[in-house]
Amino acid sequence: MLNQRQIQIMERLENGKASGLELAKLTGTSKRTVLRDISQMNHLLQSVGEIRSSQAGGYQLHIEDKMAYRNLLHQSMYDDELILLELLRHDFRTLDDLATTLFLSKPMISEKIVFLRGHYANRLEIKSRPNYGHYLDEPLFRKMILLANLIDKNPSFFCERLGIPKDDFDALLQRIRELDVARYYPNIHSAHLASLILAAMVLGDDGETGETSFLEGLEIPAGAQHLLALFFDRQQQKSQLITTSAMQEILQQQGEQYSALVYDMELAEQLVGHLKRSIAYPIMLHDRKLHNISNIKAVYPLAFDLSITFVASVNEAFGIELYDIDLIGLYFSCAMERGRQAAAKVILFSDQYAVASINKQMIEREIQTVEVIVVMHQKELEQKLEQHDIKLLLNNHAVYPDVDADVACIDIKKIITKMELQVIQDTLEKIDVRKNICTFFPEELAMDYDNQVDEDWDTIVRGICTELVEKAVLTPDEAFKIQEREQKGNNLVINHLALPHCTTERNQAFFAVFVHLARPVLVDGMAVQNALFACVNPNVSTELKVFSYLYYVLNEHDDKTILELPDYASFIACIVKN
C-alpha cells in the first residue's frame, strides 16, 4: 500500500512531468528519499503502470491499466478520509485505536496524522492531547459538513462504514428527488442534500423519528431535524447577502486595485450563483483533481491572481467556506476572453468565389476571433492591405499573391482542412507577439543577478526589484506589486522560467526584463535560473497573447534547455523558434 508521500508524488505526476527537486520540495524530503519512494512505487505498480525518468532528468507517470491504477490509488487515498471519519465519530482516537480500525501500523498512522494536519492547516483543527489521543476541534456544524462531504465522495463506501444500508441511502435520495428541494433549501443538488441529512442523523442527538416541517415526507430523528433546521436557517441568511450588486462592488474594488477592469455583468452573475451553491453545500475536503489546469493559469495569470484576491475578499465579507480558487479563476479567465478587442482581420485571396465563401464560413465558425475578407483580384488585394490592419493572408488562388507588405502568408487547399484551421489559429495567436519581440523583451534591459547560495526566492526578488527601481526600469509601485505577488505563493513558473509579474497603468501592453541568476533557486518547488520580471496592462488584449505565447513556445523545449539558458540571446532564440 502507498504511504502518504508516495500518494503525493503519484498525484503530482498525474498532472505531468516533474523533476526530482520539485518532488522533494513537494514532499518535504530529500531527492534520495524520492528516488527510494519511486522505486517502491514501481514495485507496487508492476503491470498497472510505471514511473520513468526522462532524458532531461524529470519523472513521468505511464499508466497501462487505468482501472487497476485508480483502484490502487483509491485504496491508499481513502486512508486519510477514514482517519477523518474516525475523528468525527469519536471524541478522541489513539494511535492504537486508529491502527486497529484501519489495519495499518502505528508509524504509518502517525505519518498520516502529520500529513493531515499540514494538508488541512487552513481548513480543519486536528489536535492532540497527552494521554487522550487525537481529536477534531471543530463546531458541530462544521463536523456535519465534513461528514456530508465524506459520504458524498463515495456513498457506498462511507455508508457501509457508518452502518447505513446502501438501500436506505438510495431510497432517501429518491424521495428527495421527488420533492421541490428549491422550495425548502435552494442551490443544492439532491445527492448533496441526502449526504447532509445522513450526516445530521449520525451526529444529531437521539430523538423520536417524525416528519420534518421543512422537508415534507422525510422521516428524520428529532435531533437531526433540529440540527438541519438551524444549519439551513444560518446558511440561507448568508446566501441572502450575496447579490449581484454586492459582487459588482467587490469586483470594482479589486479591479481598481489591479488596474484591471475585466469584469462584466455575466461574471458578476456567475460568481453570485457559484457562491450561493458554495454556501448551500460547503466543500471542506481537498479536491483531488485528476485534471491539470496549470496551462490555463500560465495563459491567464492575472485571472488567477484576481481569483485569489476575490476569494479572500468574499471570505472576509461574508464568512463563506470557499476554497476552490482554481474554479473561480476559470470564471475570471472567461470574462477576460469576452473583453478582448475586435476580431483579427484576415484576407482570403481566391479565384473561385463559391469555394472562398465556403472557406470563409468554415474559418469564422471555427475561429470566432477572426473576420475573413474575401479578395478575388490583385489590385483589390493591394487596396485592402492599405485600408485595413491585416494580420494574415491566406492564399487560395491559382496565382501566388504579389504583395509589398509585412504580412505573413499561408497557402491553403481549395477546401480548407482541420489541420490548416489549426495552423491559422496558432499563427494568429503568435503573430503579434513575434512582431513585437524586441519591444516586449528589450535587450537593453536584460541583466545578470549575482544571487548568493543561501538566498531564497523572496530575497532574490526583492534584490532584483530594488536594482530595477534604481535604474528607473520599474516604478516603486510596480516593484512593490511584484514582491507582494510573489510572497503570496502560487508563483508562475513555465518550464523552469519564473515570471514574477504585476499590473501597470502604462500605455505599453507588456514588457519584461530578462534576468539570468548566477545560481539556480527553487521557486514553488521547481529549479529556476532565469526569470522574466513583467509588467502588463490587463486592459489591452495583447497581454493575453504574450502569456499564451510564452507558455506554448517555452514548453516546446525540454526542461534542461530552459533551465540552462545562459543569457538573453539564448532566451530570444528559444522563443522565436517556429
Side-chain angles (χ1 to χ4, degrees):
M1 186 174 292
L2 299 169
N3 64 31
Q4 196 58 58
R5 279 196 321 275
Q6 293 164 353
I7 292 172
Q8 284 183 278
I9 292 171
M10 199 81 82
E11 288 181 318
R12 171 60 186 86
L13 293 178
E14 278 188 341
N15 288 332
K17 184 172 61 176
S19 67
L21 277 174
E22 182 180 355
L23 295 175
K25 175 74 172 180
L26 174 70
T27 56
T29 57
S30 65
K31 285 182 66 177
R32 185 182 296 276
T33 301
V34 167
L35 288 171
R36 187 166 59 248
D37 279 334
I38 287 174
S39 176
Q40 293 174 358
M41 290 158 71
N42 278 332
H43 177 71
L44 287 170
L45 287 170
Q46 295 182 359
S47 60
V48 170
E50 183 184 9
I51 298 172
R52 303 172 189 165
S53 59
S54 67
Q55 291 183 346
Y59 294 94
Q60 291 179 301
L61 174 63
H62 298 267
I63 302 171
E64 303 294 337
D65 186 334
K66 290 185 178 180
M67 183 62 72
Y69 167 77
R70 189 56 53 206
N71 289 337
L72 173 66
L73 193 58
H74 280 181
Q75 182 181 358
S76 300
M77 285 164 57
Y78 279 139
D79 288 342
D80 301 344
E81 283 76 12
L82 286 172
I83 291 174
L84 291 176
L85 183 64
E86 288 295 303
L87 297 180
L88 280 166
R89 297 181 66 191
H90 301 86
D91 291 337
F92 290 94
R93 295 303 270 169
T94 65
L95 289 180
D96 286 327
D97 294 332
L98 294 170
T100 301
T101 304
L102 274 66
F103 304 103
L104 295 173
S105 67
K106 287 170 64 176
M108 184 169 285
I109 291 290
S110 182
E111 178 186 325
K112 288 182 178 293
I113 289 285
V114 171
F115 168 78
L116 284 171
R117 281 203 185 109
H119 201 48
Y120 285 96
N122 298 320
R123 303 192 187 197
L124 296 171
E125 291 286 340
I126 301 172
K127 296 183 177 180
S128 302
R129 184 181 294 178
N131 302 321
Y132 283 88
H134 305 285
Y135 67 102
L136 195 60
D137 187 18
E138 294 290 347
L140 187 56
F141 277 165
R142 285 177 59 80
K143 288 184 176 181
M144 184 181 74
I145 294 165
L146 179 59
L147 182 54
N149 290 170
L150 288 171
I151 295 170
D152 191 56
K153 184 168 188 175
N154 190 328
S156 298
F157 181 82
F158 286 101
C159 281
E160 180 183 352
R161 304 292 299 197
L162 291 166
I164 301 171
K166 179 62 165 57
D167 289 345
D168 288 0
F169 175 84
D170 293 337
L172 174 62
L173 182 57
Q174 183 57 40
R175 289 199 298 274
I176 290 172
R177 286 172 174 164
E178 293 168 358
L179 295 175
D180 180 11
V181 174
R183 172 185 162 196
Y184 305 99
Y185 192 43
N187 303 302
I188 193 168
H189 190 275
S190 299
H192 294 164
L193 181 55
S195 299
L196 272 175
I197 291 172
L198 290 180
M201 291 170 67
V202 171
L203 297 175
D205 295 332
D206 293 335
E208 294 183 1
T209 299
E211 187 175 303
T212 68
S213 58
F214 54 93
L215 287 170
E216 294 175 0
L218 299 182
E219 294 185 354
I220 302 174
Q225 286 186 42
H226 181 66
L227 182 59
L228 286 168
L230 291 176
F231 175 75
F232 289 171
D233 183 62
R234 189 189 73 165
Q235 299 305 95
Q236 287 298 87
Q237 288 180 22
K238 286 185 179 181
S239 185
Q240 289 170 6
L241 299 174
I242 309 299
T243 63
T244 304
S245 60
M247 285 306 97
Q248 286 179 291
E249 185 176 342
I250 290 175
L251 292 171
Q252 176 72 31
Q253 290 172 353
Q254 72 174 49
E256 292 172 356
Q257 177 184 346
Y258 280 87
S259 305
L261 301 178
V262 300
Y263 73 91
D264 54 19
M265 184 59 70
E266 186 175 347
L267 174 61
E269 291 172 350
Q270 288 174 341
L271 291 173
V272 166
H274 181 80
L275 293 180
K276 284 182 176 292
R277 291 189 294 273
S278 298
I279 290 170
Y281 188 72
I283 303 293
M284 296 172 66
L285 282 179
H286 268 290
D287 181 17
R288 298 179 185 273
K289 293 180 175 63
L290 301 181
H291 60 283
N292 181 14
I293 66 168
S294 62
N295 58 330
I296 303 176
K297 286 185 179 181
V299 175
Y300 298 100
L302 178 58
F304 285 85
D305 291 350
L306 290 168
S307 71
I308 293 170
T309 305
F310 176 80
V311 168
S313 299
V314 165
N315 284 342
E316 182 179 353
F318 304 111
I320 300 174
E321 299 278 352
L322 187 67
Y323 304 103
D324 54 351
I325 292 171
D326 292 347
L327 184 55
I328 296 292
L330 295 178
Y331 288 119
F332 278 95
S333 63
C334 289
M336 293 181 77
E337 273 294 339
R338 288 194 296 272
R340 293 184 75 165
Q341 290 181 351
K345 288 183 170 62
V346 171
I347 286 180
L348 177 58
F349 187 51
S350 179
D351 55 356
Q352 295 183 34
Y353 188 78
V355 172
S357 297
I358 293 171
N359 285 335
K360 170 182 167 69
Q361 291 177 25
M362 290 178 66
I363 294 168
E364 291 183 339
R365 184 181 68 229
E366 296 297 322
I367 311 174
Q368 297 179 2
T369 55
V370 164
E371 176 190 345
V372 177
I373 302 171
V374 175
V375 172
M376 308 293 292
H377 305 289
Q378 178 71 33
K379 188 171 182 179
E380 184 185 7
L381 173 61
E382 294 170 357
Q383 291 173 345
K384 295 295 183 185
L385 287 169
E386 289 179 2
Q387 295 168 357
H388 301 283
D389 179 19
I390 302 300
K391 298 294 184 185
L392 186 63
L393 175 58
L394 304 176
N395 181 37
N396 197 206
H397 202 291
V399 178
Y400 198 80
D402 180 17
V403 295
D404 183 19
D406 183 20
V407 178
C409 183
I410 297 176
D411 287 326
I412 63 172
K413 298 183 184 301
K414 287 301 178 185
I415 300 298
I416 198 165
T417 65
K418 278 200 169 185
M419 186 177 295
E420 288 173 326
L421 284 167
Q422 187 60 55
V423 170
I424 292 170
Q425 187 165 11
D426 291 345
T427 302
L428 287 170
E429 283 292 326
K430 298 173 181 176
I431 203 164
D432 280 334
V433 181
R434 283 205 172 112
K435 281 185 177 180
N436 292 282
I437 287 287
C438 294
T439 303
F440 291 155
F441 310 100
E443 182 177 6
E444 64 273 14
L445 298 183
M447 59 180 280
D448 294 320
Y449 185 78
D450 187 19
N451 59 306
Q452 302 304 304
V453 175
D454 58 345
E455 286 186 325
D456 61 14
W457 180 237
D458 286 343
T459 304
I460 293 169
V461 170
R462 184 166 60 250
I464 293 171
C465 283
T466 299
E467 191 170 328
L468 291 175
V469 169
E470 290 173 353
K471 294 178 178 178
V473 175
L474 294 179
T475 67
D477 182 58
E478 289 166 345
F480 175 79
K481 284 182 179 179
I482 288 176
Q483 292 175 70
E484 184 181 46
R485 171 65 190 84
E486 291 302 291
Q487 288 168 1
K488 288 179 179 178
N490 225 351
N491 314 90
L492 178 57
V493 182
I494 302 178
N495 194 8
H496 296 279
L497 183 83
L499 281 95
H501 57 278
C502 73
T503 57
T504 181
E505 296 182 9
R506 305 183 190 209
N507 293 329
Q508 191 173 354
F510 179 101
F511 83 91
V513 178
F514 176 83
V515 181
H516 177 70
L517 304 177
R519 299 165 184 83
V521 63
L522 283 180
V523 182
D524 202 20
M526 187 174 289
V528 164
Q529 196 165 1
N530 295 285
L532 292 174
F533 279 64
C535 291
V536 298
N537 184 333
N539 301 308
V540 180
S541 66
T542 308
E543 177 268 337
L544 304 180
K545 295 179 182 178
V546 178
F547 282 108
S548 174
Y549 178 88
L550 286 171
Y551 175 78
Y552 289 111
V553 298
L554 288 172
N555 279 309
E556 288 175 356
H557 303 276
D558 62 69
D559 50 3
K560 189 171 185 290
T561 298
I562 302 301
L563 178 60
E564 297 180 356
L565 288 174
D567 51 32
Y568 170 86
S570 303
F571 162 70
I572 293 297
C574 278
I575 67 170
V576 298
K577 180 182 176 183
N578 291 324

